[in-house]
Amino acid sequence: MRNILRELCETNGASGRETAVRDRIIELIRDHCDYRVDALGNIIAFKKGEKAPEKRIMVDAHMDEVGFIATYITESGLINFATVGGINTECILSQRVVFENGTVGVIGGKPTHLLSAEAKKKLPEVDSLYIDIGARDRAEAERYVSLGDTAVFCSPYTEQGDIITARAIDDRAGCAALIKLLREDSVYDFYATFSVQEEVGTRGAATAAFAVAPDFCLCLEATTACDIEGAEGAKNVCFLNCGPIISFMDRGTLYDRELFNAANASAIPHQIKTAVAGGNNSAAIHKSRDGVRTLAISTPCRYLHSASCMSSYSDIEGAYALAKEMISVIGGMSDD
Amino acid sequence: MNTVSSLKKLSESVFIGHHNDTLKVAEQMLGDFGKRINLTGGNTAYFIKGESDRTVLLEAHIDEIGFTVTEVCERGFLRVATAGGFDLRALPSHRVTVHGKEKIEGVFTSIPPHLTKDEAVFDDIDKLYIDTGLGERAKGLVSVGDFVTYKKEAVELLGGRVTGKSLDNRAGVLTLLLVAEKIKAASVPANVVLLFCNQEEIGTRGAVTSAFALNPNEAICVDVSFGDQPGVAPAECGKLGHGPMIGVSPILSKSMYDRLRAVASKKEIPYQCEVMGGRTATDADMVSISREGVPTALVSIPLRNMHTDAEVVDTADIESAAALVYEYILAGGNENA
């Protein structure tokens, strides 16, 4: 799983441009399940297990990541952009990005030496920023970048022991865990969805859930850890190296209480998120058709939506293990 | 010497405090050409060539901006002080190398927007920490006083432009190395000495003692200056790809400025003028008042996003700067000015 995670984190796929990620995932799962790709680009896979559960189970992870989209090219060859998804605005200035075709650029800003004392303290407005690919003028820039092209952070995957620093851990960590579930034997049948466009409003998951029509869903995600120096109590949200996170409520979903309790009873080390913040594909899935009983299992991730997301591999393994256990728990549930 | 690959190598190497990997890279590029002159304080000079009474000093600072660790906190996060001028707004989520007992990777912390009430105010480096991900284990590996530098792979953008960290002033270091390479096959009318100075970024200090020790007859300092980008007025920057900027200022030698321009015109080397009202905020400020005074010129490579890890230069400007300095020396320099 570690090598797969690395490979996925090194593959670019801003929302709506998940092709490269999808192609690689299909290569990894094609011999282990049935699958199809729907109109939006979601992968909808079916894993045959030893037993058919009474209730239909879906496990979801999203393929897309936050990024940038080219909106205008200036006469001098600089590229204005809009953000795709909720990028932390303090993590944009002076970052390096790479477009889908490999063109590299930097997001520059007026040098600090030339700023007023007031301007030095304040983040620049995002719409005043631009990507510099080194082009001399608009014509040269247009040979490499077209309006509507997307870019993602250009940032290496590095490991220091179990600690991984990379872009797009949200949600390639979930994808890696879901791939592992598909590549090994399962006790119960389940559907797996690798969904598109989570970062722009959980859109892919909405159509994927409609297609699968599950009774239960597990969302494998990455969520904010804020366990940095000085954070106190609940403000930590959750901690690295302390296992996967289950959440009772966030800004998109009130999670199914029975599933929450079942996961919380697990012997696999886990944590409960101590903030009602953020959201994920559960928001769309739990409202699909006549309702889906949903739980998110998340990997704690510091500096989410930046070039340098930081997670612990042991937590990703924990998320995988807890998801596997929960498939068994749900598979064993019956109407009576 | 391939300009792009050499610049990338110099950019990725580290020179801060007593860490002098960049010097080793530069020395490799110099080969066995030039005789090393040891100086104090991490400054290094090389006698390149010449059998003259006159010495032309070519100077570039080799150090880079960075940080020093001031506290290893309870959870293992590091508090740092700046060593050089930083844009604090350009630090969150950026990668660094901590030069502790071993090289450790780290990331500057950022706070997720949905967990902060107010707009972030970047007025104090103490609001940021470096996260090595090692937790309390960092306490055994990092000590107060350890240096921290940007960690960034250098890459080529379109058409020979390069982005990375420390192009301020590895662009200048490379210019000097290219001049030395040209001089190899030439006979020069003056002694040529290369000087790579330490501690420019914390107050142009290395140049003070080094210029005194070397006692040159004239000096050319090669550094970087502001490149054209949005928000920077045309009068305060040079355009990337339009040649090196030749400095003119009350503290610089006017005759050297005139001669550099004349040589550039004659040899059809592109150049731009950089006009400053007084001091230049480069080592030229110190070299020019060494001992009884040294006629000093300043040649600068235009650079975007100064003092970040997203600096950008055009290698064509470095090549033009090297050609300019070389032709200037061959033409007799400032002699009889």
Side-chain angles (χ1 to χ4, degrees), chain A residues 130-149:
Chain A
Y130 53 86
I131 298 168
D132 178 1
I133 58 171
R136 270 101 182 132
D137 53 33
R138 180 182 283 155
E140 189 182 10
E142 282 175 344
R143 286 204 293 278
Y144 295 88
V145 175
S146 304
L147 300 190
D149 284 358

Side-chain angles (χ1 to χ4, degrees), chain A residues 5 60-62 169-179 194 220-222 297 299 316:
Chain A
L5 175 67
D60 173 79
H62 69 87
I169 286 178
D170 172 12
D171 183 30
R172 307 292 154 71
C175 291
L178 186 49
I179 290 166
F194 296 91
L220 306 186
E221 255 290 3
I297 298 172
T299 295
I316 300 171

Side-chain angles (χ1 to χ4, degrees), chain A residues 220-242:
Chain A
L220 306 186
E221 255 290 3
T223 197
T224 292
C226 196
D227 55 334
I228 62 179
E229 204 74 42
E232 285 175 11
K235 293 278 186 206
N236 289 287
V237 185
C238 58
F239 294 83
L240 253 60
N241 287 317
C242 294

Side-chain angles (χ1 to χ4, degrees), chain A residues 56-72:
Chain A
R56 185 172 292 181
I57 305 168
M58 166 170 152
V59 186
D60 173 79
H62 69 87
M63 295 188 285
D64 62 316
E65 66 184 290
V66 295
F68 308 88
I69 188 163
T71 54
Y72 185 74

Side-chain angles (χ1 to χ4, degrees), chain B residues 215-266:
Chain B
N215 193 18
N217 298 86
E218 60 174 306
I220 300 176
C221 297
V222 183
D223 206 329
V224 298
S225 187
F226 303 115
D228 57 323
Q229 62 184 113
V232 183
E236 55 188 2
C237 67
K239 286 183 114 167
L240 261 65
H242 287 237
M245 301 153 80
I246 306 175
V248 55
S249 143
I251 72 115
L252 296 171
S253 162
K254 179 67 166 48
S255 65
M256 290 177 75
Y257 168 71
D258 290 338
R259 282 181 177 233
L260 280 162
R261 287 205 302 164
V263 166
S265 299
K266 192 172 165 203

Side-chain angles (χ1 to χ4, degrees), chain A residues 242-288:
Chain A
C242 294
I245 295 145
I246 54 174
S247 177
F248 44 86
M249 176 184 173
D250 59 31
R251 290 297 165 207
T253 312
L254 196 59
Y255 292 95
D256 184 86
R257 199 65 187 168
E258 195 181 346
L259 290 184
F260 175 86
N261 287 339
N264 199 22
S266 170
I268 295 166
H270 60 276
Q271 324 172 52
I272 297 171
K273 183 169 166 176
T274 59
V276 177
N280 56 54
N281 271 340
S282 304
I285 293 167
H286 82 288
K287 293 180 291 191
S288 180

Side-chain angles (χ1 to χ4, degrees), chain A residues 90-163:
Chain A
E90 70 174 46
C91 298
I92 296 178
L93 189 61
S94 109
Q95 280 293 352
R96 186 180 295 176
V97 300
V98 57
F99 284 91
E100 294 155 73
N101 64 3
T103 302
V104 174
V106 296
I107 299 176
K110 186 173 175 173
T112 184
H113 314 63
L114 302 176
L115 293 173
S116 68
E118 271 317 296
K120 279 182 189 183
K121 295 181 197 167
K122 271 187 61 168
L123 282 178
E125 296 294 329
V126 174
D127 60 13
S128 74
L129 297 173
Y130 53 86
I131 298 168
D132 178 1
I133 58 171
R136 270 101 182 132
D137 53 33
R138 180 182 283 155
E140 189 182 10
E142 282 175 344
R143 286 204 293 278
Y144 295 88
V145 175
S146 304
L147 300 190
D149 284 358
T150 63
V152 295
F153 287 118
C154 179
S155 174
Y157 175 101
T158 59
E159 293 178 352
Q160 217 154 230
D162 255 3
I163 297 293

